[in-house]
Amino acid sequence: MGTLEDVVEGKNYVFPVEEESILKYWNDTDAFKEQLRRSEGRPEYVFYDGPPFATGLPHYGHILAGTIKDVVTRFACSTGHHVTRRFGWDCHGLPVEYEIDKKLGIKGKDDVMKLGLDKYNEECRSIVMRYSKEWEKTVTRTGRWIDFDNDYKTLDPNFMESVWWVFKTLWEKDLVYKGFKVMPYSTACNTPLSNFEAGLDYRDVSDPAVMVSFPIIGCELGAALVAWTTTPWTLPSNLALCVNPGFIYVYVKNSAGKVFVVAEMRLGSIPGTAKKAKGGNNGGLADGWEIVKKVTGAELKDLRYEPLFPFFTDLMQATAFKVCCDAYVTDDSGTGVVHQAPAYGEDDYRVCISNGVVIKGGALPDPVDANGCFCYPVTAPFEGKHVKEADKDLIAAIKDMDRLVDNSRLVHSYPFCWRSHTPLIYKAVASYFVKVEEIKSQLLENNKKTHWVPAYVQEKRFHNWLENAHDWAISRNRYWGTPIPVWCSEDGEEVRVIGSIAELEEATGAKITDIHRHFIDHLKIPSSRGPGFPHLKRVEEVFDCWFESGSMPYAQQHYPFENKEYFEKTIFPANFIAEGLDQTRGWFYTLMVLSTALFDRPAFQNLVCNGLVLAADGKKMSKSLKNYPDPNKVINEYGADALRLYLINSPVVRAEPLRFKEDGVFSVVKDLFLPWYNAYRFLVQNVRRVEEETGKAFDPYAPDQDAVNVLDRWIASATSSLVTYVRSEMEAYRLYTVVPRLVSFIGQLTNVYVRYNRSRLKGKNGDDDTRRALAALFNVLLVLCKTMAPFTPFFVEKMYQNLRRCLPNQGDTEPSVHFCMFPKAAVDALNTRVEASVALMQAVIETGRQIRERNNKALKTPLRRMIVVHADGDFLNDLLGELRDYVVEELNVRQLDVCGDLMQYATVKAEPNFASLGKRLGKAMGMVTKAVKDMSQDDILMFQKTGTFSVGEHILGAEDIIVKHEFRVPEGFTKEDVDAASCEEDVMVIMELKVDQTLIDAGAAREFVNRVQKLRKSAGLQAFEAVTVFFEPTKGANKQALECLLRMIANETAYLEESVGCVPQPVAAKPVHAVVIASEACSLSTGAGFVATLTRPAVVVDDAALTVTCNGVAELAAAVAAVVLSREYCNLKHECHAGGGMITIKVDGKEVDLRAGQELRFD
């Protein structure tokens, strides 16, 4: 019959292949959409998916974040929610343009314009979804359920239109302005980068480090200020020098009469000034040098100096080339004098603005073009050269002017463009800014309204980022992106911001189907000042793609043009988002800024932040270095479930880095999935065995199958506790606490429940007890399937498809485990006493194994007695009662005793806890240490009761004293005869180690059983297949060893029959007609050698007794015997059992009654 389908052995279960079959099942049944359909009408659980670029392939970071998202959203659906899951694509920005620039050899704006903006942008459009199918394949293969058909793309006109609305709303709130900002700038990509992007690729580089003199105008000493810089290319744009007003500066003169001004603390940085003392230490000022004057930095303020280069002398003479003061100047490097080029340094710009060198919003000397090359007014030989390449020529020119004080090299960490891998420069660029600083207080308040896991990322990293946030530059001088919807007059007097396609159509009279640059840049808006004024033209900039991704909550819904009420009432803010730690300065930040600016509320309620996945050596994963395994290869080797669980059960879910190791994924398969699968297979095997033996279908919900056995009650209680714990932790988004508990539970299920109950599940205690045990195991596995469904969707689906065959209507109401609700904790099954007692029993068993191991007492050899000492009477009663057989069997002891008084077998001593007391006591530590070590037994017992102990004026608490129990050998025993060890909660386990011949024989019997079981396995026998065992001493066997073997079999008959299903017999007793299954030479540790033979069970006919029954007619007896031996063993045995131990054989019209145990015998 077979309620459950048979399953293969664990070694033959190929996880990736089985996962592919589940993928097909999901696809055939449209499982994801069916789940959405079934959950319609439930409360909406809102999830926002951050958009990745589809110009590259997914890596482990994407798989990790996708797994976290899938786990949380599957759990939300199983707890009574409807969860819309739309995939998103980031289609604009530098990553796309960079690919096209490489393809077409684009070097700068001129090349783009020469090609044509329309052709360039359409080239970009053609590749944005280049790897979308690979993404869909990989994401689907990892088990993630998300909607690719109803995805959102940042290039869709509806999405872009909502971005326009966001910008116009901010403009109307006066939260946008246009200004200059010194930003990291990629000369290869012709665009500024955010600080976040600039931090993606730092490298150690060797740069020139020069000291340059700036003669002070009108100085009687003829002194010159000396500034130090590692960017000589910025010197042609020098407009000021900056000193620290609080530092002391010295005028120092050398033997040639030159006077230099530097910070006193940095005097030694000037070549030749420092006298070298013995040992290489600074020995003061070198000969020929003298300090002629000391001043404060504040006294140097407004001194004027001679410009280094003439390029901006005429333009800036009135306000520039003077000394400024600011505390940002440090004394840890350089000369204490910093050269200021406001177009190329954030602090330079700030200092020059505050000191009137340049005017905010005014002209800014910037002789570097978009490609990073010098341009007018810089002249030859520098003009046209890339700034980094011009360093050498600039240094030579400065030397020729006699202004070069020192020229050296410095190795330091420097930012590179993460796309072009070229050095960045810092450059002032015109940009549109969001006034983040103006809404900083609201940002900080809204951050408090969100829940992050782990919390420290929110409370420290993100809070600090918000607290120090500057205005956000949101525009880029690029081509492929959402255009900034600003139209301006040439004189800048008239500005119009467009907030929708309809508004632009109305303003221009044009029909608009696409709003990328090449579709709208030519559109002009008539001036509101009248026909005599020129039309307004659109500004060239496009939005930074981070502005687009930060707008996704609104843009994916085409808000406010569609779904307005649905958005405002149902899907904003999101219940949950998740991405990597790097997004604290990226997507998390832009979401928070825009939602705060628009609605003064956070865009999300809960956030899970993961760490970075690194290569095994701790380095960043690199395609070029090939320092990590291909994700698809790992999935095809071990399965997606194993990869998911490996990632989730790691520090990376706590926002810490993970060194990815393929061995770790294999360990998940070996240590978790295979034991779990074997427990499931064991259930299937024994359900099928019971059904075959009894002819009755297995029903896990049949009446009168309530848990009676202690381990049945324990596993039911532990399962209920697990469900409660998982629900609580998942509701708090603490995935990193959930998976270890799940892993631990599966270990308990396989290593305790199944292991300890194998004989029960195999039918040792009769059909009724077996069905109770199978029902208990079935229910645990079913609940575990539903609990683990969000984490390991493939494996539990495969298991559920078989288990549901035992459910009412074969589970047709819930054809997938992912349609099932998350299980409810069975409150009536909770039993804290049983859970506590079994936990202590496990500790006792583990401690007993350790005692055996350290005394070289193999588990196969029984020990006479063990004693468990503990103060908890309930536990001791349980141990002597329901738990006794498990302890005795697992530790192979003949007698188990308990004792409630630890002092009968131990002495106690006290030691001070130095970690607790050291800081507190100081010099008194020695006195307190002596007093604690001198505590008497009574003192220690009183301390354990009261929790305090006084030493002079010092009162010690429970955490200050460590109480240790030391085993005391009982009277009548030697140290060799007995050993003990303590485990958790002051449980002491004592074991008698002395063995005699009886115990040795019992150990040999266990070995004999082991050899038979191995022979059964090698013969491919199933657990329910009965055999008869015969043995024959090997030729030339030791006579004494043979006697030991025969004695062992005679003395351990009951154990052997119970363990192998029959009493082993000499091979001489083997019926001639018995079918041999397997035969193998074996040996025991006693030295006995024998050949074990397994045969199919056979009927043995007693010829003499049968002849008597046949009234001495030998021919009739032979005919009856022939009929009996031709019958199938099981059917004949079943017929005899049904007949009360008798069967009737008809031969030639004659009936002969045969009785079991007389004329015939069943092996």
Side-chain angles (χ1 to χ4, degrees), residues 478-495:
R478 299 302 300 175
Y479 317 102
W480 178 243
T482 300
I484 300 277
V486 175
W487 271 255
C488 289
S489 59
E490 288 184 11
D491 59 10
E493 291 297 317
E494 189 175 356
V495 177

Side-chain angles (χ1 to χ4, degrees), residues 160-169 171 176 432 474-475 481-488 495-501 503-504 515 517 520-521 525 536-543 547:
M160 296 168 70
E161 185 177 28
S162 290
V163 175
W164 275 12
W165 170 82
V166 171
F167 180 79
K168 183 171 183 179
T169 304
W171 183 278
V176 176
Y432 286 90
I474 59 170
S475 57
T482 300
I484 300 277
V486 175
W487 271 255
C488 289
V495 177
R496 181 167 176 182
V497 177
I498 300 297
S500 69
I501 293 173
E503 185 182 353
L504 183 59
I515 56 176
R517 280 192 62 179
I520 66 169
D521 273 11
I525 298 176
L536 280 60
K537 296 180 180 179
R538 199 192 71 80
V539 299
E540 288 192 348
E541 293 94 332
V542 298
F543 283 108
F547 190 86

Side-chain angles (χ1 to χ4, degrees), residues 18 94 105 107 172 263 285 355 390 423 455 512 554 570 764 815 844 949 951 978 981 1009 1020 1027 1119:
E18 298 298 337
L94 194 57
K107 301 298 182 184
E172 291 172 344
L285 208 57
N355 284 273
I512 298 166
Y554 331 105
T570 307
K764 173 184 176 181
V844 166
F949 179 69
V951 181
V978 66
V1009 169
V1027 297

Side-chain angles (χ1 to χ4, degrees), residues 79-91:
T79 51
H81 297 88
H82 180 268
V83 189
T84 301
R85 284 154 274 181
R86 295 178 65 195
F87 203 82
W89 301 102
D90 204 341
C91 304

Side-chain angles (χ1 to χ4, degrees), residues 706-745:
D706 294 339
V708 175
N709 176 275
V710 62
L711 285 192
D712 291 352
R713 303 199 316 273
W714 165 72
I715 199 65
S717 180
T719 304
S720 186
S721 296
L722 173 76
V723 169
T724 301
Y725 179 84
V726 172
R727 180 184 287 270
S728 171
E729 294 299 288
M730 283 298 294
E731 286 174 350
Y733 297 88
R734 290 189 288 266
L735 278 70
Y736 58 87
T737 64
V738 169
V739 179
R741 178 71 176 262
L742 289 168
V743 171
S744 172
F745 178 83

